Amino acid sequence: RDVYDQGSPISLFGVAVDTNGLAAADAPISVHIEANGFKRLVSTVTNSLGEYAVTFSPLTDEAGAYGVFAGHPDADFHLPQATFSIVGLEFAPKSFNVTMSQNGTARFVVEIANIGPLSLDALSISSASISGSGVTLSVDPATFPTELIAGGKAEAHVLASADANASSATLHLVL
């Protein structure tokens, strides 16, 4: 795959060969992952067929274009042998507190930013009930973007509605 969702683990694998083109069995391998000016290193060892596999676990809120290169730890190489992208959205504010009475409503605006390197299209959203709270969140579809260019931002208008049986406590939401 070339594109992954934000927070998804990414399997990276390959076959190491020696200078004669033969499988490098039981060889140490350094897998370099670079993005946004940062480099990460994952070390492993090949199996008897020269195969290696590692899992890259990006941070839950990171996105970007990534370059990967792998080889012996002593090798001096810097050109990507493979690339992939992680797409992601960021919301601001990330959390908020709302105090509502039963049958009450509260309106607020959430900024949505495409923090990945690719344009996103066919975006959609649906209303959600917050389990056991008697509160429903809905987004005005006219304000929710159906697409966002890389680095693009938009505002969505959100309505929180408390039903007649809602708890009268303050609601704390994390996006």
Side-chain angles (χ1 to χ4, degrees):
R1 280 177 36 191
D2 293 332
V3 178
Y4 296 85
D5 290 330
Q6 200 170 25
S8 298
I10 299 167
S11 296
L12 303 170
F13 51 90
V15 177
V17 294
D18 63 20
T19 55
N20 296 318
L22 301 173
D26 304 314
I29 297 292
S30 291
V31 180
H32 300 256
I33 303 149
E34 291 187 354
N36 305 320
F38 294 96
K39 183 188 293 186
R40 299 195 196 130
L41 176 68
V42 181
S43 298
T44 190
V45 176
T46 63
N47 64 17
S48 61
L49 301 174
E51 301 166 332
Y52 66 89
V54 297
T55 299
F56 171 58
S57 298
L59 301 173
T60 57
D61 62 348
E62 78 176 279
Y66 294 74
V68 179
F69 50 95
H72 190 276
D74 295 336
D76 185 24
F77 50 89
H78 298 284
L79 296 175
Q81 298 163 327
T83 60
F84 63 89
S85 295
I86 298 176
V87 296
L89 295 174
E90 184 174 79
F91 301 94
K94 290 186 183 284
S95 66
F96 56 92
N97 291 311
V98 171
T99 302
M100 293 183 297
S101 60
Q102 293 171 328
N103 293 317
T105 60
R107 296 180 187 278
F108 52 96
V109 175
V110 174
E111 182 181 82
I112 304 165
N114 177 358
I115 61 170
L118 304 173
S119 291
L120 301 176
D121 57 15
L123 297 174
S124 64
I125 194 163
S126 60
S127 298
S129 294
I130 301 168
S131 180
S133 69
V135 175
T136 300
L137 290 179
S138 58
V139 175
D140 178 352
T143 66
F144 190 80
T146 57
E147 59 185 38
L148 270 177
I149 64 170
K153 295 180 180 182
E155 289 185 345
H157 295 246
V158 180
L159 175 68
S161 303
D163 65 27
N165 297 317
S167 167
S168 60
T170 298
L171 177 65
H172 177 73
L173 296 175
V174 177
L175 300 175

